[in-house]
């Protein structure tokens, strides 16, 4: 499993355990719905998920980097 796939799974598990939608998670992280959708659909590109987005995702998960 790649880092991006692991992050995708963490996001999906978080949303499921907290009964929120992916779009609500995106809003919580201040990330566009389309970017979270790309992560969900495994379309993160050759470079993967940038550190900036990883920091925003961590913040949305109430974690620090």
């Amino acid at each position: 499993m790649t880092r991006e796939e692991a992050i995708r799974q963490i996001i999906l598990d978080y949303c499921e355990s907290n009964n929120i939608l992916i779009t609500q998670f995106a809003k919580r992280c201040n990330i566009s719905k389309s970017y979270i959708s790309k992560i969900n659909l495994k379309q993160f590109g050759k470079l993967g998920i940038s550190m900036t987005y990883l920091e925003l995702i961590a913040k949305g998960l109430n974690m620090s980097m």
Side-chain angles (χ1 to χ4, degrees), residues 40-55:
N40 191 34
L41 297 172
K42 299 180 184 179
Q43 297 176 342
F44 16 79
K46 287 193 284 186
L47 299 177
I49 302 170
S50 73
M51 285 303 291
T52 302
Y53 283 110
L54 288 176
E55 289 173 0

Side-chain angles (χ1 to χ4, degrees), residues 11-56:
I11 291 169
L12 293 175
D13 291 346
Y14 181 85
C15 290
E16 184 178 327
S17 66
N18 290 289
N19 293 322
I20 62 172
L21 299 172
I22 294 287
T23 55
Q24 292 170 314
F25 180 77
K27 188 174 183 179
R28 177 180 291 188
C29 297
N30 291 325
I31 297 174
S32 69
K33 295 175 201 174
S34 63
Y35 191 81
I36 289 290
S37 179
K38 286 181 181 182
I39 292 173
N40 191 34
L41 297 172
K42 299 180 184 179
Q43 297 176 342
F44 16 79
K46 287 193 284 186
L47 299 177
I49 302 170
S50 73
M51 285 303 291
T52 302
Y53 283 110
L54 288 176
E55 289 173 0
L56 291 172

